[in-house]
Amino acid sequence: NAGVMQNPRHLVRRRGQEARLRCSPMKGHSHVYWYRQLPEEGLKFMVYLQKENIIDESGMPKERFSAEFPKEGPSILRIQQVVRGDSAAYFCASSPFQEHTEAFFGQGTRLTVV
Amino acid sequence: KNEVEQSPQNLTAQEGEFITINCSYSVGISALHWLQQHPGGGIVSLFMLSSGKKKHGRLIATINIQEKHSSLHITASHPRDSAVYICAVTETSGSRLTFGEGTQLTVNP
């Protein structure tokens, strides 16, 4: 049973480009959480999704950021018109239930904006 | 004030020493998690606690719900234990995790 899979592991984008980060949850998990870790800072919640639904996006920046978790395929975190301040590690976690029964994390995507 | 506070922020130990990392929280929780993160690496779950104590190998985690405090202990520390240890809570009001700032542990041979 593969763990939470994130790709790419590393992503370099120029300012103004779009970044798409993918997360495939563990088999049987229908709840996905995205967290961001800025350099020298702790992890912060961004968004919580179930299949085809955004449940809580209170941690998402109001502009340029969006997330989806379609019926088929991975969850996508999309950042439009990236800026240097978006450079961070983005982690996805999945759960079979609404509560984090155990924290299953992916390896993260390290986004660098140049 | 952060909802989850960890101490110390940085900890350096000699191989073989007993290590304690503390976590205090100010919100109602349904569970507390201890996580490990190696440099440039992913995040691994070490423990999930809602009460009492758990042990896995050289690692022990305890939680006191009344005092809103948890500790992570490492016995007979080893250089490969060097990592960032993160305390996180699942609040009773929601399902997401709220994290402490992490403790950078360095174990020297």
Side-chain angles (χ1 to χ4, degrees):
Chain A
N1 185 11
V4 179
M5 304 299 292
Q6 287 189 250
N7 68 81
R9 290 289 306 276
H10 300 275
L11 182 61
V12 179
R13 284 287 177 265
R14 294 188 184 278
R15 281 178 293 172
Q17 291 185 319
E18 178 180 286
R20 282 189 180 232
L21 288 61
R22 295 175 185 76
C23 170
S24 296
M26 288 183 68
K27 188 176 179 180
H29 289 194
S30 59
H31 301 257
V32 166
Y33 304 79
W34 285 93
Y35 298 95
R36 178 167 68 173
Q37 187 175 40
L38 291 166
E40 308 302 322
E41 293 189 21
L43 287 145
K44 296 285 191 285
F45 168 77
M46 298 185 76
V47 63
Y48 163 39
L49 310 105
Q50 293 179 29
K51 285 282 187 181
E52 299 184 275
N53 287 304
I54 298 174
I55 306 302
D56 180 358
E57 56 181 347
S58 59
M60 289 275 270
K62 293 288 185 273
E63 297 176 351
R64 302 187 296 108
F65 284 72
S66 62
E68 63 177 9
F69 189 15
K71 188 177 179 181
E72 302 292 336
S75 175
I76 306 286
L77 179 67
R78 181 181 178 208
I79 312 171
Q80 295 178 288
Q81 299 176 314
V82 295
V83 301
R84 288 234 170 98
D86 297 331
S87 296
Y90 292 83
F91 289 93
C92 166
S94 74
S95 172
F97 306 111
Q98 182 175 347
E99 274 192 18
H100 267 290
T101 52
E102 186 177 338
F104 297 100
F105 282 85
Q107 289 292 302
T109 293
R110 279 147 184 87
L111 172 66
T112 302
V113 179
V114 297
Chain B
K1 188 178 187 299
N2 291 338
E3 292 163 323
V4 181
E5 298 273 356
Q6 282 186 240
S7 63
Q9 281 190 314
N10 294 282
L11 181 55
T12 301
Q14 288 299 121
E15 185 173 356
E17 286 184 0
F18 180 84
I19 287 160
T20 296
I21 300 170
N22 295 300
C23 176
S24 297
Y25 53 92
S26 57
V27 294
I29 68 169
S30 57
L32 183 142
H33 306 255
W34 282 102
L35 311 169
Q36 182 191 56
Q37 184 177 27
H38 283 281
I43 297 168
V44 175
S45 175
L46 298 175
F47 294 104
M48 189 186 74
L49 296 160
S50 54
S51 65
K53 176 180 174 179
K54 287 190 176 180
K55 185 175 188 290
H56 185 249
R58 295 180 294 105
L59 301 178
I60 303 165
T62 63
I63 188 168
N64 184 317
I65 298 295
Q66 286 72 32
E67 294 186 4
K68 296 189 172 181
H69 181 270
S70 176
S71 293
L72 176 69
H73 305 285
I74 305 175
T75 61
S77 60
H78 190 277
R80 65 174 174 266
D81 296 326
S82 298
V84 175
Y85 292 83
I86 303 168
C87 173
V89 301
T90 307
E91 297 181 36
T92 48
S93 60
S95 59
R96 64 192 192 191
L97 293 176
T98 302
F99 301 86
E101 295 292 308
T103 296
Q104 173 68 63
L105 171 65
T106 303
V107 181
N108 294 317

